[in-house]
Amino acid sequence: AQHSVVMGAMPTHASSGVTSVPSGATPYTVDTRAFLSFAPNPIGLGQELLVNMWTNPPISPNRFQQGYTVDIIDPNNETFTVGPFNSYAADATAYFTFIPDIVGTWQLKFNYGGQYFPNGTWLNSQLVAANTTNAYYLDAAYYKPASTGWQTLTVQQDMISSWPLTSLPTDYWSRPVHFEQRAWWPILGAYPAYGLVGGGSTWPADTNTY
């Protein structure tokens, strides 16, 4: 069966890391933990489900994990796998969206196959020359495989409503504004910032302008 899965914007290029430790290598060994979260749950038939996964501890900003997969069992007991795919660098997170198409109980499980990173100078999960800009030396490390248990998703016929927005105030108001008043942000001086807010001669170099 075809399933409507849309991957997040994680890096797609290959990593210089490999899945197993080469003979004779003595890397730092990291006990890895796997986590999986999805929402909304329960969800209505045909609605979009956001699926997030990550491993802990996080990795270096110049490395990302590879080989993430999510196994999914639908109510007809048919299994399909999303992935393999990479994580984002540094925080080892990843995500995709998925539209369940059958009412009933689904099961999801996140798997990480483990990864060995050799020592050397790293940039964007690639081994590079020692003098490469923004790259830095990292010791060898092996992140052990990890998986979550099976987690249950309930799909119902009726749609699940999104978080209700509150209308803008019509009278005087004061700060602080409760975080649930998300729709008020245009009258709060656009804080937190939205869009391009930095840049120019006084803006620190190599920092995000958004």
Side-chain angles (χ1 to χ4, degrees):
Q2 295 293 320
H3 296 279
S4 181
V5 175
V6 178
M7 300 306 302
M10 292 81 69
T12 56
H13 62 272
S15 170
S16 292
V18 295
T19 56
S20 59
V21 180
S23 176
T26 56
Y28 291 104
T29 300
V30 181
D31 291 321
T32 311
R33 298 176 63 195
F35 297 88
L36 176 68
S37 175
F38 41 86
N41 187 20
I43 191 172
L45 183 67
Q47 285 188 272
E48 184 177 76
L49 182 77
L50 175 62
V51 183
N52 292 281
M53 68 288 312
W54 65 98
T55 57
N56 185 269
I59 54 178
S60 161
N62 267 341
R63 287 172 173 169
F64 58 71
Q65 306 282 34
Q66 63 183 8
Y68 282 7
T69 61
V70 175
D71 296 325
I72 302 177
I73 304 176
D74 70 19
N76 294 332
N77 208 33
E78 294 185 2
T79 301
F80 68 99
T81 299
V82 180
F85 51 89
N86 298 329
S87 77
Y88 286 101
D91 62 10
T93 62
Y95 78 94
F96 61 85
T97 59
F98 165 63
I99 300 179
D101 54 359
I102 305 174
V103 171
T105 299
W106 296 63
Q107 299 287 324
L108 291 86
K109 180 182 180 181
F110 166 48
N111 309 289
Y112 168 58
Q115 193 168 0
Y116 167 74
F117 297 94
N119 66 303
T121 303
W122 287 82
L123 178 65
N124 297 327
S125 213
Q126 298 288 308
L127 284 169
V128 296
N131 59 351
T132 302
T133 302
N134 295 326
Y136 46 81
Y137 178 87
L138 294 168
D139 288 325
Y142 175 63
Y143 290 78
K144 293 181 179 180
S147 297
T148 64
W150 287 102
Q151 297 175 213
T152 299
L153 168 69
T154 301
V155 179
Q156 63 183 39
Q157 188 68 47
D158 296 332
M159 185 184 77
I160 298 296
S161 298
S162 62
W163 186 271
L165 296 178
T166 55
S167 58
L168 295 177
T170 58
D171 202 347
Y172 292 104
W173 54 273
S174 61
R175 298 178 188 272
V177 175
H178 196 277
F179 65 85
E180 292 182 351
Q181 311 292 2
R182 298 182 300 168
W184 289 26
W185 75 266
I187 65 172
L188 301 179
Y191 182 84
Y194 180 83
L196 183 63
V197 296
S201 60
T202 61
W203 192 258
D206 300 321
T207 58
N208 197 334
T209 56
Y210 286 85

